PDB file of all heavy atoms in Angstrom:
ATOM      1  N   ALA A  95     -18.773   5.213 -25.188  1.00 96.00           N
ATOM      2  CA  ALA A  95     -18.895   6.334 -24.253  1.00 96.00           C
ATOM      3  C   ALA A  95     -20.120   6.230 -23.361  1.00 96.00           C
ATOM      4  O   ALA A  95     -20.070   6.596 -22.183  1.00 96.00           O
ATOM      5  CB  ALA A  95     -18.920   7.656 -25.039  1.00 96.00           C
ATOM      6  N   ASP A 182       5.795 -13.128 -27.327  1.00 96.00           N
ATOM      7  CA  ASP A 182       4.655 -14.004 -27.038  1.00 96.00           C
ATOM      8  C   ASP A 182       3.973 -13.584 -25.740  1.00 96.00           C
ATOM      9  O   ASP A 182       2.738 -13.615 -25.634  1.00 96.00           O
ATOM     10  CB  ASP A 182       5.115 -15.456 -26.939  1.00 96.00           C
ATOM     11  CG  ASP A 182       5.519 -16.033 -28.288  1.00 96.00           C
ATOM     12  OD1 ASP A 182       5.164 -15.436 -29.324  1.00 96.00           O
ATOM     13  OD2 ASP A 182       6.199 -17.087 -28.290  1.00 96.00           O
ATOM     14  N   PRO A 366       3.130 -27.980  -0.246  1.00 89.00           N
ATOM     15  CA  PRO A 366       3.985 -27.101  -1.045  1.00 89.00           C
ATOM     16  C   PRO A 366       5.171 -26.607  -0.225  1.00 89.00           C
ATOM     17  O   PRO A 366       5.041 -26.361   0.977  1.00 89.00           O
ATOM     18  CB  PRO A 366       3.045 -25.947  -1.411  1.00 89.00           C
ATOM     19  CG  PRO A 366       2.027 -25.925  -0.324  1.00 89.00           C
ATOM     20  CD  PRO A 366       1.842 -27.353   0.107  1.00 89.00           C
TER      21      PRO A 366
END
Side-chain angles (χ1 to χ4, degrees):
D182 289 344

